[in-house]
């Protein structure tokens, strides 16, 4: 899940940087056009073809264009910082993004099948089902009898005695059968199965 989140963030910031860099270039081009338009308007004003109002309008348009350029550059600076935070270095010589249609399933059933196989959330949920199933078996094991066995073997040699060699062996087996648990084990089993139910005493 973490890997998927990081890859998605890296892809998103990559495309954001391409977009914001393109916007900055567009705004710079717009400022150059507006600056040239203002010069032409002033030249026409000097020869009496336009009024002072026309010059003022051109000046206002150029000022608005410069403001938009500054805003675009600020946005690009923020995007560049986020790229360094997510990817780890400054974005340089980025290539335009290519369509991802060729990586997508050709049909809805194919998309559903692919998501069931490769989606990390689905995979994690499947492992969670296995864990819950094993936990139910573990809790059910508390209701089963248990058998413990102990065995020991001993052999010794005594040179000072007439019996030079002694050998002994023993084995102990113990069987434990649950008689009464007060319902705690049954509650754990129902909890593992996702069924609260009433508490019942074991026998």
């Amino acid at each position: 899940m973490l890997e998927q989140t990081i890859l998605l963030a890296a892809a998103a910031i990559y495309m954001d940087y391409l977009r914001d860099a393109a916007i900055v270039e567009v705004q710079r081009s717009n400022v150059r056009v507006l600056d040239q338009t203002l010069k032409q308007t002033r030249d026409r004003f000097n020869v009496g073809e336009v009024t002072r109002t026309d010059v003022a309008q051109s000046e206002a348009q150029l000022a608005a264009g410069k403001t938009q350029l500054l805003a675009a550059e600020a946005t690009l600076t923020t995007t560049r910082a986020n790229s360094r935070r997510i990817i780890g270095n400054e974005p340089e010589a980025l290539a335009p993004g290519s369509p991802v249609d060729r990586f997508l399933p050709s049909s809805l059933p194919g998309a559903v099948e692919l998501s069931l196989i490769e989606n990390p959330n689905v995979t994690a949920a499947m492992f969670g089902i296995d864990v819950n199933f094993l936990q139910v078996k573990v809790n059910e094991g508390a209701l089963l009898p248990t058998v413990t066995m102990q065995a020991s073997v001993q052999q010794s040699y005594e040179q000072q005695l007439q019996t030079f060699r002694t050998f002994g062996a023993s084995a102990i087996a113990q069987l434990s059968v649950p008689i009464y648990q007060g319902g705690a084990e049954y509650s754990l089993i129902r909890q593992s199965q996702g069924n609260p139910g009433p508490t019942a005493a074991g026998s």
Side-chain angles (χ1 to χ4, degrees), residues 137-167:
K137 294 302 181 182
V138 170
N139 293 334
E140 288 177 347
L143 300 175
L144 301 177
T146 58
V147 177
T148 58
M149 295 188 65
Q150 296 179 351
S152 64
V153 177
Q154 183 177 2
Q155 183 174 333
S156 63
Y157 294 90
E158 295 291 344
Q159 298 181 0
Q160 304 298 327
L161 300 176
Q162 294 181 355
T163 303
F164 296 102
R165 179 180 179 181
T166 60
F167 180 84

Side-chain angles (χ1 to χ4, degrees), residues 66-141:
K66 290 181 177 179
T67 300
Q68 293 174 353
L69 174 59
L70 292 175
E73 289 176 343
T75 301
L76 180 60
T77 300
T78 302
T79 304
R80 183 182 293 109
N82 289 333
S83 176
R84 185 169 59 251
R85 175 179 58 84
I86 296 172
I87 300 178
N89 52 25
E90 291 280 350
E92 297 179 358
L94 301 184
S98 59
V100 297
D101 296 348
R102 62 183 184 275
F103 301 112
L104 299 178
S106 57
S107 62
L108 178 59
V112 173
E113 182 180 0
L114 183 63
S115 65
L116 293 176
I117 296 174
E118 298 187 4
N119 188 290
N121 293 332
V122 175
T123 304
M126 295 300 295
F127 280 111
I129 293 175
D130 294 338
V131 171
N132 290 337
F133 176 78
L134 294 176
Q135 187 61 47
V136 171
K137 294 302 181 182
V138 170
N139 293 334
E140 288 177 347

Side-chain angles (χ1 to χ4, degrees), residues 169-182:
S170 63
I172 300 175
Q174 181 178 359
L175 175 65
S176 299
V177 180
I179 300 300
Y180 178 77
Q181 290 96 351

